Amino acid sequence: STTRWPLWKKLTNMDGLMSSMDGMGSSMGMFTAENKAVALGYWYAIAVVTGLLVAGRLITSAQSHVRRACFQLDDSKVPSRPESGVARTYATMITTLRELGYSQPVWFSGRITKYFTLPPLGQCLLLAAYWTMLLIMLWSNVILSPSSSQYAYKWEKVGFRAAWVSVTQIPFIYLLSCKFNPISLLTGVSYVRLNWLHRWSARTVFLTIIVHWAYFFREWVLSDLVKWEFQLMPMVKYGFGAWAVIGWMTLTGFGFFRALNHELFVAQHICAAAALLWLLYVHVPTYAQYNVWLSVAFVAFDWIARIVLGILRNTHILSWRTVKVPGYSATAEALPGNMTRLTIAHADFTWKAGQHVHLSMPTLRPFEVHPFTIASIPVPASSNSKNTLELMIRAHSGFTRSLHDAAKKDALTGRGRRVFINGPWGMPPDLRHFETVVLIACASGASYIAPMLHRLVTYTGCVTKLHVHWIIRSAQHLTWFEASLRQAVQKAQLRNMQLQITIHVTQTGDDSSISSCGLQGSTGDISAIDSEVSSLSPAGNEKRIMSAREEILAVDPSTALRVRHASRPSVESMVRPPVETALGETAVVTCGGLAITAQTRNFVAALSDERAVHKGTGAQGIFMHNETYGY
């Protein structure tokens, strides 16, 4: 009804409104118990999903352990091939979830349009489930009929429910922003892979807050109390201020602005997050302020844990070092293609392949901290050697450009750099329990797959076949991982592992060869052959045939390193052959830009469906893991 309410009807509640600035009238207490139950149900749902992820982690861990133990007992078996009925049923269920979750139907690769790319289908389905849950919470039992005794409060009932739905999500959003958070610690899902949900849940809160204030505002308009509410109820102003801050954070959290100046984004985002908590604290009633304190607790736990870890790491309190000089001594080396190799010769901690650290270099830029993937693996615990940590850092602008310029000067002066490290961070997958592994990287993305390659050829596992594809623009870029690739070939040969490394040099006008770049050693000879390579044009899926020179570092029939010039491979040419010849489960890991990761997602999902994996055809499962450039 749009009939104006008599002014006396609202003024009868004035005593309650003025007696407590944390209340909004006698109607608030009327709905509190029900709204608190709804808020509690939200956290129950989060706990159930977390529990399912924990169960999945435990099953995967046990599965990995059993597979590797079986392979050690009899290396002629294929442990990743399910044999029992229960194992086959579980594999079919996992395959179905993968086919649903992997594909990314809508993606863009333009300079601006890429920021409008929707999440993969699996994330979209999870987001749809999240929204469905919130809609049920928001609208269940709040639409009143004219015969209801609470009909006079029909606007407030929806407004209060929307308020609870909104404020209940706030701790979850702050939780997802933390590097140290219970969900990651329990489920093994890295904070990096939860960040998309952090952004989307914040956007969702922005919308549910609109429902909150719109219903109250409608009531104020009908009662002619808009001016009175703003004059006598400061909490209203604080509420609109909180909504404005969330709107600002949502807007500036858009990928374009994050990439434009990440340091500025982080600084203003932290300030806005602190301002939001204060505005919410003075806006919400006292019995809802626990949401603010819970958010503070999550952030405090994260910051304290990171500070303590950083102090312990850089003061070497728990290390074997006798000289406890703060930080680490590092050397920077400028490489072709605007690449910088930063080497810490004596890292007194361990890490996993695929993890990253946060790096600070006070002598270069004292107030900046940047994340970089560790491009090396730690030495085995049984070795007497010291850990050497390497970071491969591509120069763009800001810190990375300054570091590259400094590395050129350091080469002349012999100067070292003092760096400070926090980490390692990230929870990369363990690939040792797969039968076949395909690693794909573009340019500096090899910083992620190179340590994974070394872990697979160094440590015992079930992997018998390894296919590595590295796509680079110029043959000069081969020097980035020259020693790493040579060592991997040697280790694979000693372990009788089938390793095929193919390096695709896309620049057609580049006459460099691996021999001129120094990529030859005692492990074998290099031969050059002319071949025709089918590739995809960068503009689309149009196939073209080009004459390409292929250089082969042949070690033995099962191990080889090939460099294909003028080669731009399709995802199908890299993934389909290993999958079709696999006897057990295959892992496909890709690190690169949005285009290569989206194409890999779509092809793996389509290939799994085409081969009817674990659906009676005998085709084995395909696991996929993607890492994308950028923040």
Side-chain angles (χ1 to χ4, degrees):
S1 173
T2 58
T3 305
R4 282 186 175 273
W5 290 17
L7 183 58
W8 64 268
K9 196 168 188 176
K10 285 300 296 183
L11 293 180
T12 54
N13 288 329
M14 182 172 292
D15 290 341
L17 289 166
M18 299 301 295
S19 63
S20 175
M21 293 308 292
D22 65 359
M24 292 191 67
S26 60
S27 59
M28 178 177 288
M30 192 183 303
F31 311 129
T32 299
E34 184 180 7
N35 289 334
K36 279 188 174 181
V38 170
L40 188 61
Y42 174 86
W43 286 105
Y44 280 146
I46 298 296
V48 168
V49 174
T50 303
L52 291 174
L53 292 175
V54 170
R57 181 188 188 186
L58 293 175
I59 293 173
T60 301
S61 178
Q63 190 180 59
S64 174
H65 178 76
V66 170
R67 286 181 180 181
R68 286 184 280 121
C70 290
F71 191 77
Q72 282 186 336
L73 293 175
D74 186 357
D75 59 7
S76 64
K77 292 184 177 181
V78 184
S80 61
R81 191 182 187 97
E83 299 293 344
S84 67
V86 174
R88 286 195 295 269
T89 301
Y90 180 77
T92 302
M93 180 186 69
I94 294 299
T95 296
T96 303
L97 293 176
R98 287 173 177 174
E99 291 176 0
L100 280 174
Y102 283 167
S103 62
Q104 190 161 7
V106 181
W107 60 276
F108 308 99
S109 58
R111 183 178 179 183
I112 302 298
T113 57
K114 66 180 180 181
Y115 298 112
F116 294 93
T117 295
L118 294 178
L121 184 58
Q123 294 181 4
C124 288
L125 292 174
L126 183 61
L127 192 59
Y130 183 72
W131 285 342
T132 301
M133 179 186 71
L134 291 181
L135 288 173
I136 294 173
M137 292 171 54
L138 180 59
W139 297 108
S140 61
N141 198 31
V142 295
I143 305 300
L144 301 176
S145 63
S147 61
S148 173
S149 60
Q150 298 179 352
Y151 188 67
Y153 304 103
K154 62 181 182 295
W155 300 105
E156 292 185 13
K157 182 157 187 168
V158 177
F160 281 128
R161 177 64 63 82
W164 276 95
V165 170
S166 300
V167 76
T168 301
Q169 296 178 76
I170 295 298
F172 184 59
I173 294 173
Y174 278 81
L175 170 67
L176 294 176
S177 71
C178 300
K179 293 179 177 62
F180 265 107
N181 69 79
I183 293 180
S184 291
L185 295 175
L186 291 172
T187 64
V189 180
S190 170
Y191 76 94
V192 176
R193 306 189 79 79
L194 291 174
N195 196 257
W196 72 273
L197 187 56
H198 165 73
R199 295 193 297 270
W200 279 99
S201 55
R203 294 162 186 165
T204 303
V205 166
F206 180 77
L207 298 177
T208 58
I209 291 177
I210 292 178
V211 178
H212 164 57
W213 68 255
Y215 270 77
F216 276 109
F217 199 83
R218 177 62 174 168
E219 182 189 48
W220 300 340
V221 170
L222 293 176
S223 305
D224 196 21
L225 295 174
V226 175
K227 183 178 180 180
W228 178 85
E229 291 283 352
F230 276 91
Q231 287 180 344
L232 299 183
M233 300 290 290
M235 62 184 302
V236 174
K237 299 177 183 178
Y238 295 134
F240 275 103
W243 179 63
V245 171
I246 292 178
W248 168 258
M249 296 173 73
T250 302
L251 177 64
T252 56
F254 187 61
F256 174 78
F257 297 108
R258 297 200 313 271
L260 197 63
N261 191 320
H262 190 71
E263 292 79 15
L264 179 60
F265 161 75
V266 171
Q268 63 85 28
H269 203 67
I270 292 175
C271 293
L276 174 62
L277 289 179
W278 179 79
L279 289 168
L280 287 175
Y281 180 79
V282 296
H283 173 69
V284 302
T286 53
Y287 50 78
Q289 287 176 351
Y290 70 87
N291 291 285
V292 177
W293 290 116
L294 189 57
S295 303
V296 172
F298 286 143
V299 174
F301 173 75
D302 174 50
W303 280 59
I304 292 173
R306 283 194 282 161
I307 291 172
V308 170
L309 177 63
I311 292 174
L312 293 177
R313 179 74 67 230
N314 292 286
T315 56
H316 317 288
I317 293 176
L318 303 178
S319 77
W320 41 261
R321 291 191 176 193
T322 55
V323 180
K324 310 283 187 180
V325 179
Y328 293 86
S329 177
T331 56
E333 177 188 2
L335 301 176
N338 291 320
M339 181 65 76
T340 307
R341 178 187 285 119
L342 190 70
T343 304
I344 298 175
H346 300 287
D348 55 351
F349 60 94
T350 187
W351 62 91
K352 295 180 181 178
Q355 287 189 308
H356 63 277
V357 294
H358 286 85
L359 178 77
S360 173
M361 191 176 291
T363 58
L364 194 64
R365 294 203 173 196
F367 302 109
E368 294 185 16
V369 179
H370 297 269
F372 298 108
T373 302
I374 304 174
S376 57
I377 63 170
V379 297
S382 58
S383 174
N384 293 324
S385 303
K386 305 301 182 183
N387 283 328
T388 298
L389 186 147
E390 288 188 357
L391 304 176
M392 302 296 290
I393 303 171
R394 189 76 178 267
H396 294 285
S397 59
F399 174 81
T400 56
R401 175 57 61 183
S402 298
L403 177 61
H404 189 70
D405 294 339
K408 293 178 180 177
K409 297 177 181 178
D410 292 349
L412 301 176
T413 62
R415 176 185 177 182
R417 298 280 172 173
R418 178 62 54 176
V419 300
F420 294 86
I421 285 176
N422 196 298
W425 301 101
M427 299 179 180
D430 186 353
L431 307 178
R432 292 178 296 165
H433 62 278
F434 295 98
E435 189 263 344
T436 300
V437 174
V438 181
L439 303 175
I440 302 172
C442 293
S444 59
S447 297
Y448 186 80
I449 69 164
M452 288 196 162
L453 168 63
H454 272 276
R455 187 184 188 191
L456 293 173
V457 298
T458 302
Y459 296 95
T460 303
C462 305
V463 180
T464 59
K465 288 175 284 187
L466 261 168
H467 299 262
V468 182
H469 295 270
W470 183 26
I471 305 170
I472 55 178
R473 180 173 297 178
S474 169
Q476 291 182 342
H477 299 170
L478 288 164
T479 57
W480 298 352
F481 292 94
E482 170 186 349
S484 179
L485 293 175
R486 187 189 302 150
Q487 291 172 6
V489 169
Q490 293 173 342
K491 290 180 179 179
Q493 184 183 18
L494 294 174
R495 297 176 63 88
N496 295 320
M497 182 181 291
Q498 296 183 34
L499 171 61
Q500 304 292 325
I501 301 177
T502 306
I503 302 172
H504 306 269
V505 183
T506 61
Q507 197 172 73
T508 56
D510 191 353
D511 295 328
S512 302
S513 66
I514 57 176
S515 56
S516 64
C517 293
L519 192 63
Q520 60 178 346
S522 59
T523 57
D525 299 323
I526 297 175
S527 60
I529 63 172
D530 290 328
S531 63
E532 289 190 342
V533 180
S534 175
S535 66
L536 294 180
S537 66
N541 293 331
E542 179 185 357
K543 286 189 176 182
R544 59 180 177 174
I545 304 296
M546 63 175 63
S547 176
R549 185 173 74 257
E550 180 178 79
E551 297 176 277
I552 303 176
L553 174 58
V555 179
D556 57 43
S558 64
T559 309
L561 190 154
R562 297 177 175 84
V563 180
R564 292 183 175 178
H565 296 265
S567 169
R568 192 181 297 273
S570 65
V571 171
E572 180 176 4
S573 67
M574 293 185 288
V575 175
R576 182 183 287 275
V579 169
E580 292 185 340
T581 58
L583 300 177
E585 192 172 14
T586 301
V588 179
V589 178
T590 307
C591 185
L594 180 60
I596 186 70
T597 54
Q599 289 175 9
T600 304
R601 282 183 169 277
N602 291 332
F603 181 75
V604 168
L607 182 62
S608 179
D609 181 63
E610 171 195 321
R611 290 172 51 78
V613 168
H614 291 310
K615 298 180 179 69
T617 62
Q620 298 302 300
I622 312 173
F623 166 82
M624 186 197 63
H625 180 85
N626 281 346
E627 293 287 334
T628 307
Y629 297 146
Y631 296 104

